[in-house]
mmCIF file of all heavy atoms in Angstrom:
data_model
loop_
_atom_site.group_PDB
_atom_site.id
_atom_site.type_symbol
_atom_site.label_atom_id
_atom_site.label_comp_id
_atom_site.label_asym_id
_atom_site.label_seq_id
_atom_site.Cartn_x
_atom_site.Cartn_y
_atom_site.Cartn_z
ATOM 1 N N GLY Q 23 4.782 -9.973 6.421
ATOM 2 C CA GLY Q 23 5.416 -8.859 7.129
ATOM 3 C C GLY Q 23 4.847 -7.457 6.762
ATOM 4 O O GLY Q 23 5.035 -6.564 7.481
ATOM 5 N N ALA Q 24 4.401 -7.281 5.486
ATOM 6 C CA ALA Q 24 3.915 -6.090 5.074
ATOM 7 C C ALA Q 24 2.569 -5.692 6.039
ATOM 8 O O ALA Q 24 1.778 -6.575 6.333
ATOM 9 C CB ALA Q 24 3.383 -6.054 3.628
ATOM 10 N N GLN Q 25 2.444 -4.403 6.345
ATOM 11 C CA GLN Q 25 1.436 -4.040 7.258
ATOM 12 C C GLN Q 25 0.368 -3.334 6.440
ATOM 13 O O GLN Q 25 0.668 -2.075 6.009
ATOM 14 C CB GLN Q 25 1.838 -3.303 8.543
ATOM 15 C CG GLN Q 25 2.786 -4.077 9.378
ATOM 16 C CD GLN Q 25 3.341 -3.249 10.450
ATOM 17 O OE1 GLN Q 25 2.654 -2.426 11.193
ATOM 18 N NE2 GLN Q 25 4.614 -3.505 10.770
ATOM 19 N N ILE Q 26 -0.824 -3.713 6.169
ATOM 20 C CA ILE Q 26 -1.777 -3.131 5.408
ATOM 21 C C ILE Q 26 -3.135 -3.051 6.119
ATOM 22 O O ILE Q 26 -3.782 -4.187 6.414
ATOM 23 C CB ILE Q 26 -1.893 -3.798 4.094
ATOM 24 C CG1 ILE Q 26 -0.612 -3.987 3.297
ATOM 25 C CG2 ILE Q 26 -2.964 -3.112 3.205
ATOM 26 C CD1 ILE Q 26 -0.646 -4.747 2.112
ATOM 27 N N PRO Q 27 -3.653 -1.989 6.576
ATOM 28 C CA PRO Q 27 -4.842 -1.938 7.337
ATOM 29 C C PRO Q 27 -6.075 -2.338 6.432
ATOM 30 O O PRO Q 27 -6.049 -2.308 5.194
ATOM 31 C CB PRO Q 27 -5.117 -0.397 7.536
ATOM 32 C CG PRO Q 27 -3.657 0.287 7.570
ATOM 33 C CD PRO Q 27 -3.070 -0.611 6.577
ATOM 34 N N SER Q 28 -7.158 -2.829 7.107
ATOM 35 C CA SER Q 28 -8.373 -3.211 6.394
ATOM 36 C C SER Q 28 -8.883 -2.267 5.464
ATOM 37 O O SER Q 28 -9.716 -2.663 4.614
ATOM 38 C CB SER Q 28 -9.221 -3.939 7.348
ATOM 39 O OG SER Q 28 -9.770 -2.843 8.272
ATOM 40 N N SER Q 29 -8.814 -0.915 5.752
ATOM 41 C CA SER Q 29 -9.337 0.159 4.964
ATOM 42 C C SER Q 29 -8.697 0.306 3.695
ATOM 43 O O SER Q 29 -9.115 1.165 2.807
ATOM 44 C CB SER Q 29 -9.406 1.418 5.745
ATOM 45 O OG SER Q 29 -8.124 1.802 6.160
ATOM 46 N N CYS Q 30 -7.578 -0.321 3.435
ATOM 47 C CA CYS Q 30 -6.824 -0.144 2.255
ATOM 48 C C CYS Q 30 -7.393 -0.889 0.949
ATOM 49 O O CYS Q 30 -7.944 -1.943 1.255
ATOM 50 C CB CYS Q 30 -5.357 -0.434 2.368
ATOM 51 S SG CYS Q 30 -4.494 0.804 3.448
ATOM 52 N N THR Q 31 -6.968 -0.507 -0.127
ATOM 53 C CA THR Q 31 -7.310 -1.253 -1.359
ATOM 54 C C THR Q 31 -6.092 -1.441 -2.195
ATOM 55 O O THR Q 31 -5.299 -0.477 -2.488
ATOM 56 C CB THR Q 31 -8.382 -0.411 -2.212
ATOM 57 O OG1 THR Q 31 -9.424 -0.203 -1.526
ATOM 58 C CG2 THR Q 31 -8.602 -1.248 -3.599
ATOM 59 N N VAL Q 32 -5.789 -2.682 -2.523
ATOM 60 C CA VAL Q 32 -4.572 -3.060 -3.360
ATOM 61 C C VAL Q 32 -5.091 -3.769 -4.525
ATOM 62 O O VAL Q 32 -5.713 -4.712 -4.601
ATOM 63 C CB VAL Q 32 -3.714 -4.073 -2.485
ATOM 64 C CG1 VAL Q 32 -2.584 -4.489 -3.276
ATOM 65 C CG2 VAL Q 32 -3.322 -3.514 -1.231
ATOM 66 N N GLY Q 33 -4.775 -3.074 -5.670
ATOM 67 C CA GLY Q 33 -5.439 -3.417 -6.945
ATOM 68 C C GLY Q 33 -4.620 -4.491 -7.709
ATOM 69 O O GLY Q 33 -3.734 -5.075 -7.146
ATOM 70 N N PRO Q 34 -5.072 -4.816 -8.864
ATOM 71 C CA PRO Q 34 -4.485 -5.877 -9.545
ATOM 72 C C PRO Q 34 -2.999 -5.795 -9.870
ATOM 73 O O PRO Q 34 -2.501 -4.737 -10.081
ATOM 74 C CB PRO Q 34 -5.174 -5.947 -10.941
ATOM 75 C CG PRO Q 34 -6.472 -5.122 -10.715
ATOM 76 C CD PRO Q 34 -6.171 -4.183 -9.609
ATOM 77 N N TYR Q 35 -2.322 -6.876 -9.702
ATOM 78 C CA TYR Q 35 -0.874 -6.967 -10.104
ATOM 79 C C TYR Q 35 0.095 -6.118 -9.229
ATOM 80 O O TYR Q 35 1.173 -5.798 -9.722
ATOM 81 C CB TYR Q 35 -0.682 -6.819 -11.625
ATOM 82 C CG TYR Q 35 -1.501 -7.766 -12.482
ATOM 83 C CD1 TYR Q 35 -2.654 -7.407 -13.027
ATOM 84 C CD2 TYR Q 35 -1.001 -9.109 -12.527
ATOM 85 C CE1 TYR Q 35 -3.425 -8.366 -13.659
ATOM 86 C CE2 TYR Q 35 -1.740 -9.974 -13.223
ATOM 87 C CZ TYR Q 35 -2.849 -9.620 -13.862
ATOM 88 O OH TYR Q 35 -3.579 -10.554 -14.554
ATOM 89 N N CYS Q 36 -0.354 -5.648 -8.220
ATOM 90 C CA CYS Q 36 0.539 -4.773 -7.383
ATOM 91 C C CYS Q 36 1.528 -5.804 -6.565
ATOM 92 O O CYS Q 36 1.233 -6.904 -6.347
ATOM 93 C CB CYS Q 36 -0.308 -3.984 -6.207
ATOM 94 S SG CYS Q 36 -1.300 -2.662 -6.965
ATOM 95 N N THR Q 37 2.764 -5.235 -6.147
ATOM 96 C CA THR Q 37 3.696 -6.000 -5.472
ATOM 97 C C THR Q 37 4.081 -5.252 -4.212
ATOM 98 O O THR Q 37 4.527 -4.027 -4.318
ATOM 99 C CB THR Q 37 5.011 -6.251 -6.336
ATOM 100 O OG1 THR Q 37 4.611 -6.999 -7.412
ATOM 101 C CG2 THR Q 37 6.004 -7.082 -5.459
ATOM 102 N N VAL Q 38 3.921 -5.802 -3.073
ATOM 103 C CA VAL Q 38 4.177 -4.999 -1.896
ATOM 104 C C VAL Q 38 5.240 -5.832 -1.016
ATOM 105 O O VAL Q 38 5.022 -6.992 -0.695
ATOM 106 C CB VAL Q 38 2.919 -4.863 -1.001
ATOM 107 C CG1 VAL Q 38 3.271 -4.056 0.346
ATOM 108 C CG2 VAL Q 38 1.788 -4.134 -1.813
ATOM 109 N N GLY Q 39 6.322 -5.118 -0.657
ATOM 110 C CA GLY Q 39 7.502 -5.881 -0.013
ATOM 111 C C GLY Q 39 7.254 -6.150 1.489
ATOM 112 O O GLY Q 39 6.302 -5.479 2.057
ATOM 113 N N PRO Q 40 8.062 -6.861 2.103
ATOM 114 C CA PRO Q 40 7.802 -7.272 3.594
ATOM 115 C C PRO Q 40 7.990 -6.084 4.519
ATOM 116 O O PRO Q 40 7.513 -6.262 5.787
ATOM 117 C CB PRO Q 40 8.863 -8.378 3.736
ATOM 118 C CG PRO Q 40 9.954 -8.067 2.721
ATOM 119 C CD PRO Q 40 9.290 -7.563 1.573
ATOM 120 N N ASP Q 41 8.686 -5.058 4.105
ATOM 121 C CA ASP Q 41 8.947 -3.973 5.169
ATOM 122 C C ASP Q 41 7.997 -2.787 4.924
ATOM 123 O O ASP Q 41 8.506 -1.668 5.297
ATOM 124 C CB ASP Q 41 10.409 -3.636 5.128
ATOM 125 C CG ASP Q 41 11.305 -4.797 5.560
ATOM 126 O OD1 ASP Q 41 11.042 -5.315 6.553
ATOM 127 O OD2 ASP Q 41 12.259 -5.214 4.705
ATOM 128 N N VAL Q 42 6.969 -2.931 4.126
ATOM 129 C CA VAL Q 42 6.103 -1.792 3.830
ATOM 130 C C VAL Q 42 5.081 -1.630 4.727
ATOM 131 O O VAL Q 42 4.432 -2.715 5.248
ATOM 132 C CB VAL Q 42 5.490 -2.081 2.303
ATOM 133 C CG1 VAL Q 42 4.344 -0.926 2.121
ATOM 134 C CG2 VAL Q 42 6.592 -2.063 1.327
ATOM 135 N N VAL Q 43 4.810 -0.366 5.270
ATOM 136 C CA VAL Q 43 3.818 -0.143 6.263
ATOM 137 C C VAL Q 43 2.837 0.947 5.664
ATOM 138 O O VAL Q 43 3.297 2.047 5.350
ATOM 139 C CB VAL Q 43 4.333 0.402 7.519
ATOM 140 C CG1 VAL Q 43 3.179 0.691 8.599
ATOM 141 C CG2 VAL Q 43 5.280 -0.700 8.171
ATOM 142 N N LEU Q 44 1.606 0.717 5.544
ATOM 143 C CA LEU Q 44 0.589 1.551 4.928
ATOM 144 C C LEU Q 44 -0.349 2.110 6.079
ATOM 145 O O LEU Q 44 -0.633 1.392 6.898
ATOM 146 C CB LEU Q 44 -0.193 0.969 3.878
ATOM 147 C CG LEU Q 44 0.453 0.454 2.638
ATOM 148 C CD1 LEU Q 44 -0.558 -0.173 1.585
ATOM 149 C CD2 LEU Q 44 1.367 1.305 1.922
ATOM 150 N N GLY Q 45 -0.720 3.407 5.890
ATOM 151 C CA GLY Q 45 -1.691 3.925 6.784
ATOM 152 C C GLY Q 45 -3.007 3.643 6.294
ATOM 153 O O GLY Q 45 -3.286 2.989 5.297
ATOM 154 N N GLU Q 46 -4.068 4.044 7.027
ATOM 155 C CA GLU Q 46 -5.538 3.857 6.654
ATOM 156 C C GLU Q 46 -5.857 4.540 5.304
ATOM 157 O O GLU Q 46 -5.440 5.519 4.931
ATOM 158 C CB GLU Q 46 -6.313 4.471 7.827
ATOM 159 C CG GLU Q 46 -6.223 3.934 9.208
ATOM 160 C CD GLU Q 46 -6.747 2.456 9.308
ATOM 161 O OE1 GLU Q 46 -7.471 1.971 8.366
ATOM 162 O OE2 GLU Q 46 -6.333 1.672 10.331
ATOM 163 N N GLU Q 47 -6.714 3.803 4.617
ATOM 164 C CA GLU Q 47 -7.449 4.282 3.441
ATOM 165 C C GLU Q 47 -6.550 4.629 2.301
ATOM 166 O O GLU Q 47 -6.765 5.385 1.534
ATOM 167 C CB GLU Q 47 -8.297 5.494 3.890
ATOM 168 C CG GLU Q 47 -9.371 5.279 4.823
ATOM 169 C CD GLU Q 47 -10.024 6.556 5.199
ATOM 170 O OE1 GLU Q 47 -10.787 7.142 4.238
ATOM 171 O OE2 GLU Q 47 -9.992 6.985 6.398
ATOM 172 N N CYS Q 48 -5.354 3.901 2.261
ATOM 173 C CA CYS Q 48 -4.569 4.086 1.044
ATOM 174 C C CYS Q 48 -5.256 3.161 -0.070
ATOM 175 O O CYS Q 48 -5.779 2.101 0.087
ATOM 176 C CB CYS Q 48 -3.199 3.618 1.431
ATOM 177 S SG CYS Q 48 -2.334 4.767 2.400
ATOM 178 N N GLU Q 49 -4.795 3.601 -1.323
ATOM 179 C CA GLU Q 49 -5.214 2.849 -2.548
ATOM 180 C C GLU Q 49 -4.070 2.712 -3.387
ATOM 181 O O GLU Q 49 -3.542 3.747 -3.915
ATOM 182 C CB GLU Q 49 -6.418 3.537 -3.260
ATOM 183 C CG GLU Q 49 -6.909 2.761 -4.407
ATOM 184 C CD GLU Q 49 -7.973 3.514 -5.296
ATOM 185 O OE1 GLU Q 49 -8.434 4.674 -4.872
ATOM 186 O OE2 GLU Q 49 -8.376 2.909 -6.217
ATOM 187 N N LEU Q 50 -3.827 1.531 -3.815
ATOM 188 C CA LEU Q 50 -2.960 1.146 -4.944
ATOM 189 C C LEU Q 50 -3.644 0.723 -6.104
ATOM 190 O O LEU Q 50 -4.381 -0.326 -6.082
ATOM 191 C CB LEU Q 50 -1.907 0.030 -4.442
ATOM 192 C CG LEU Q 50 -1.302 0.107 -3.165
ATOM 193 C CD1 LEU Q 50 -0.392 -1.004 -2.934
ATOM 194 C CD2 LEU Q 50 -0.564 1.435 -2.929
ATOM 195 N N VAL Q 51 -3.768 1.544 -7.143
ATOM 196 C CA VAL Q 51 -4.686 1.392 -8.178
ATOM 197 C C VAL Q 51 -4.435 -0.045 -9.071
ATOM 198 O O VAL Q 51 -5.358 -0.805 -9.038
ATOM 199 C CB VAL Q 51 -4.738 2.653 -9.107
ATOM 200 C CG1 VAL Q 51 -5.523 2.308 -10.326
ATOM 201 C CG2 VAL Q 51 -5.217 3.804 -8.413
ATOM 202 N N SER Q 52 -3.343 -0.182 -9.494
ATOM 203 C CA SER Q 52 -2.883 -1.461 -10.160
ATOM 204 C C SER Q 52 -1.368 -1.338 -10.581
ATOM 205 O O SER Q 52 -0.754 -0.282 -10.741
ATOM 206 C CB SER Q 52 -3.660 -1.702 -11.389
ATOM 207 O OG SER Q 52 -3.330 -0.892 -12.530
ATOM 208 N N HIS Q 53 -0.830 -2.551 -10.632
ATOM 209 C CA HIS Q 53 0.653 -2.654 -11.067
ATOM 210 C C HIS Q 53 1.629 -1.676 -10.305
ATOM 211 O O HIS Q 53 2.602 -1.235 -10.879
ATOM 212 C CB HIS Q 53 0.807 -2.346 -12.590
ATOM 213 C CG HIS Q 53 -0.051 -3.229 -13.421
ATOM 214 N ND1 HIS Q 53 -1.435 -3.028 -13.679
ATOM 215 C CD2 HIS Q 53 0.313 -4.221 -14.067
ATOM 216 C CE1 HIS Q 53 -1.901 -3.952 -14.471
ATOM 217 N NE2 HIS Q 53 -0.737 -4.777 -14.793
ATOM 218 N N VAL Q 54 1.342 -1.367 -9.062
ATOM 219 C CA VAL Q 54 2.108 -0.601 -8.256
ATOM 220 C C VAL Q 54 3.184 -1.421 -7.566
ATOM 221 O O VAL Q 54 2.909 -2.563 -7.060
ATOM 222 C CB VAL Q 54 1.439 0.175 -7.150
ATOM 223 C CG1 VAL Q 54 2.231 0.873 -6.182
ATOM 224 C CG2 VAL Q 54 0.380 1.069 -7.868
ATOM 225 N N VAL Q 55 4.476 -0.972 -7.446
ATOM 226 C CA VAL Q 55 5.565 -1.728 -6.642
ATOM 227 C C VAL Q 55 5.802 -0.813 -5.470
ATOM 228 O O VAL Q 55 6.254 0.365 -5.644
ATOM 229 C CB VAL Q 55 6.825 -1.808 -7.563
ATOM 230 C CG1 VAL Q 55 7.992 -2.474 -6.825
ATOM 231 C CG2 VAL Q 55 6.336 -2.765 -8.771
ATOM 232 N N LEU Q 56 5.661 -1.370 -4.245
ATOM 233 C CA LEU Q 56 6.224 -0.842 -3.108
ATOM 234 C C LEU Q 56 7.279 -1.624 -2.503
ATOM 235 O O LEU Q 56 7.090 -2.937 -2.194
ATOM 236 C CB LEU Q 56 4.948 -0.679 -2.083
ATOM 237 C CG LEU Q 56 3.757 0.160 -2.590
ATOM 238 C CD1 LEU Q 56 2.707 0.060 -1.360
ATOM 239 C CD2 LEU Q 56 4.140 1.495 -2.985
ATOM 240 N N ASP Q 57 8.419 -1.134 -2.182
ATOM 241 C CA ASP Q 57 9.514 -1.914 -1.808
ATOM 242 C C ASP Q 57 10.335 -1.309 -0.656
ATOM 243 O O ASP Q 57 10.130 -0.128 -0.315
ATOM 244 C CB ASP Q 57 10.389 -2.234 -2.981
ATOM 245 C CG ASP Q 57 11.506 -3.329 -2.891
ATOM 246 O OD1 ASP Q 57 11.219 -4.135 -1.935
ATOM 247 O OD2 ASP Q 57 12.448 -3.406 -3.652
ATOM 248 N N GLY Q 58 11.361 -2.013 -0.078
ATOM 249 C CA GLY Q 58 12.208 -1.365 0.872
ATOM 250 C C GLY Q 58 11.446 -1.143 2.201
ATOM 251 O O GLY Q 58 10.380 -1.397 2.415
ATOM 252 N N HIS Q 59 12.062 -0.332 3.077
ATOM 253 C CA HIS Q 59 11.582 0.110 4.304
ATOM 254 C C HIS Q 59 10.741 1.401 3.954
ATOM 255 O O HIS Q 59 11.208 2.477 4.215
ATOM 256 C CB HIS Q 59 12.640 0.413 5.277
ATOM 257 C CG HIS Q 59 13.401 -0.860 5.708
ATOM 258 N ND1 HIS Q 59 13.097 -1.523 6.927
ATOM 259 C CD2 HIS Q 59 14.396 -1.571 5.258
ATOM 260 C CE1 HIS Q 59 13.873 -2.527 6.984
ATOM 261 N NE2 HIS Q 59 14.662 -2.605 5.968
ATOM 262 N N LEU Q 60 9.581 1.146 3.726
ATOM 263 C CA LEU Q 60 8.511 2.144 3.202
ATOM 264 C C LEU Q 60 7.574 2.302 4.278
ATOM 265 O O LEU Q 60 6.780 1.430 4.463
ATOM 266 C CB LEU Q 60 7.940 1.816 1.809
ATOM 267 C CG LEU Q 60 6.834 2.797 1.317
ATOM 268 C CD1 LEU Q 60 7.266 4.156 1.192
ATOM 269 C CD2 LEU Q 60 6.332 2.094 -0.118
ATOM 270 N N THR Q 61 7.306 3.569 4.708
ATOM 271 C CA THR Q 61 6.170 3.918 5.658
ATOM 272 C C THR Q 61 5.342 4.976 4.841
ATOM 273 O O THR Q 61 5.778 5.992 4.498
ATOM 274 C CB THR Q 61 6.617 4.555 7.013
ATOM 275 O OG1 THR Q 61 7.486 3.455 7.621
ATOM 276 C CG2 THR Q 61 5.429 4.766 7.809
ATOM 277 N N MET Q 62 3.978 4.711 4.831
ATOM 278 C CA MET Q 62 3.028 5.599 4.037
ATOM 279 C C MET Q 62 1.875 5.969 5.074
ATOM 280 O O MET Q 62 1.395 5.122 5.711
ATOM 281 C CB MET Q 62 2.671 4.941 2.813
ATOM 282 C CG MET Q 62 1.848 5.782 1.877
ATOM 283 S SD MET Q 62 1.372 5.066 0.400
ATOM 284 C CE MET Q 62 2.916 4.702 -0.475
ATOM 285 N N GLY Q 63 1.642 7.313 5.038
ATOM 286 C CA GLY Q 63 0.509 7.627 5.978
ATOM 287 C C GLY Q 63 -0.889 7.350 5.366
ATOM 288 O O GLY Q 63 -1.091 6.474 4.581
ATOM 289 N N ARG Q 64 -1.821 8.191 5.762
ATOM 290 C CA ARG Q 64 -3.232 7.934 5.391
ATOM 291 C C ARG Q 64 -3.592 8.467 4.059
ATOM 292 O O ARG Q 64 -3.114 9.480 3.698
ATOM 293 C CB ARG Q 64 -4.143 8.638 6.481
ATOM 294 C CG ARG Q 64 -3.866 7.990 7.953
ATOM 295 C CD ARG Q 64 -4.661 8.833 8.949
ATOM 296 N NE ARG Q 64 -6.031 9.013 8.672
ATOM 297 C CZ ARG Q 64 -7.007 8.076 9.196
ATOM 298 N NH1 ARG Q 64 -6.658 7.139 9.860
ATOM 299 N NH2 ARG Q 64 -8.202 8.182 8.876
ATOM 300 N N ARG Q 65 -4.615 7.852 3.509
ATOM 301 C CA ARG Q 65 -5.356 8.383 2.290
ATOM 302 C C ARG Q 65 -4.405 8.840 1.098
ATOM 303 O O ARG Q 65 -4.628 9.776 0.467
ATOM 304 C CB ARG Q 65 -6.227 9.639 2.736
ATOM 305 C CG ARG Q 65 -7.239 9.418 3.740
ATOM 306 C CD ARG Q 65 -8.113 10.606 3.992
ATOM 307 N NE ARG Q 65 -7.222 11.750 4.386
ATOM 308 C CZ ARG Q 65 -6.671 12.085 5.465
ATOM 309 N NH1 ARG Q 65 -6.859 11.176 6.519
ATOM 310 N NH2 ARG Q 65 -5.925 13.073 5.716
ATOM 311 N N ASN Q 66 -3.439 7.999 0.943
ATOM 312 C CA ASN Q 66 -2.551 8.179 -0.212
ATOM 313 C C ASN Q 66 -3.200 7.358 -1.355
ATOM 314 O O ASN Q 66 -3.467 6.248 -1.165
ATOM 315 C CB ASN Q 66 -1.122 7.727 0.067
ATOM 316 C CG ASN Q 66 -0.443 8.749 1.026
ATOM 317 O OD1 ASN Q 66 -0.078 9.826 0.725
ATOM 318 N ND2 ASN Q 66 -0.275 8.182 2.304
ATOM 319 N N ARG Q 67 -3.082 7.905 -2.602
ATOM 320 C CA ARG Q 67 -3.576 7.152 -3.799
ATOM 321 C C ARG Q 67 -2.252 6.973 -4.887
ATOM 322 O O ARG Q 67 -1.817 8.068 -5.192
ATOM 323 C CB ARG Q 67 -4.692 7.805 -4.480
ATOM 324 C CG ARG Q 67 -5.464 6.886 -5.388
ATOM 325 C CD ARG Q 67 -6.606 7.669 -6.068
ATOM 326 N NE ARG Q 67 -7.529 6.691 -6.842
ATOM 327 C CZ ARG Q 67 -8.303 6.974 -7.799
ATOM 328 N NH1 ARG Q 67 -8.422 8.184 -8.053
ATOM 329 N NH2 ARG Q 67 -8.960 6.020 -8.291
#
């Protein structure tokens, strides 16, 4: 259910919940937790 564009990078040990929507070119470096009804735009690190 999580929406992650192909331009994004999800690093080691990250956890992304089912209601998370990421924009283009986002990067989760490592061990990041994204939860709840979360909408994130473009190019966030």
Side-chain angles (χ1 to χ4, degrees):
Q25 299 180 39
I26 304 176
S28 60
S29 59
C30 292
T31 300
V32 180
Y35 300 102
C36 293
T37 302
V38 181
D41 298 308
V42 172
V43 179
L44 298 186
E46 299 286 347
E47 301 177 62
C48 288
E49 179 184 2
L50 313 182
V51 173
S52 73
H53 299 83
V54 173
V55 175
L56 303 184
D57 195 18
H59 292 266
L60 168 63
T61 301
M62 190 176 292
R64 300 168 56 89
R65 300 182 309 281
N66 292 288
R67 195 175 190 204

